[in-house]
Amino acid sequence: RTSRHFLDVYGSRTTPRHQQSSTSAAVSDDPRASTGRRCSVDSFANNGEPSDAARGRESSKPVVVFLTGGAWIIGYKMWGAFLARVLVPHGILVMIPDYRNFPTVTVGDMVLDVDASIQWTLDNCRAYGGDPNRVVVVGQSAGAHLGSCVLLRKAIDELKQFAGRNHPPLSGSSASSLESTIEMPPPLRTKYKARDIKGFMAASGPYNVVAMQDIFHKHGLDRNIVSAMFGNRLDRHSPTHLVEDCSSLQADTRTCTSSLGGEDTDNCSLLSQVLPPFYIVHGTADKTVPYSGAIEYATCLSNAGIR
């Protein structure tokens, strides 16, 4: 077992530099708290005055949750300190979670770590001077992948709830249509909605991990290791496939609504209401994760009605 912090906070106005404050109450009901992660937060206060642009704004700061990369194996929260050094002088509070890595856990557990850190940020950022109504998630490489998985799974959970609220028990073809949706992971346990996040920026991420297997192998990640890392279910943790699941679930919901004589729902408008805006950034010279995957992902998001 390795000792890992829950997350780091940069730009806090309320906690002295390097002071560590316990968050055991926030995660004590989480069984993952005993599997190698120390339930604590390191807070790094702003060393100087905010910039002129930041000075004079309302007291609560906008918040960035930054998810670092590291091929799901060597990621570490301190890699985000450089980004925090750029953003903090502009009056931005930066939260950097320390999700666990493989082989301690699989990608499915990393998704749960990231999800828990977002919930913690929404619940606690105000105590550090942040505004819970202005939280943006930024992910780089593996962090872009994990952030995508979390938000898309949140969307799937909400679409399922929408179907349950608006449709009585079904029978016949309508039931089989809804139940034939691709097998999906269980609902996330956190309470926040995807739209509580005001935006998601994904940089240099792998989004179709099924198609990326050969590329991973070429760069030294053996196919068997990749399969084990993803719990032998790459499709379940592939953002491009999760977008397709969102579209399929929404299409089934619309079909059932029509068959019951209900009012048709615009697929695009519903998905855009469920998810925050997505911003995809990728360098065309990237040789590790080809930018063509980002184009495919952005196209898939657009076709599904996700901005």
Side-chain angles (χ1 to χ4, degrees), residues 166-168 170 174 253-265:
N166 289 276
H167 307 312
L170 302 175
S174 295
T253 301
R254 295 182 69 194
T255 299
C256 294
T257 301
S258 299
S259 68
L260 292 167
E263 183 179 351
D264 192 14
T265 303

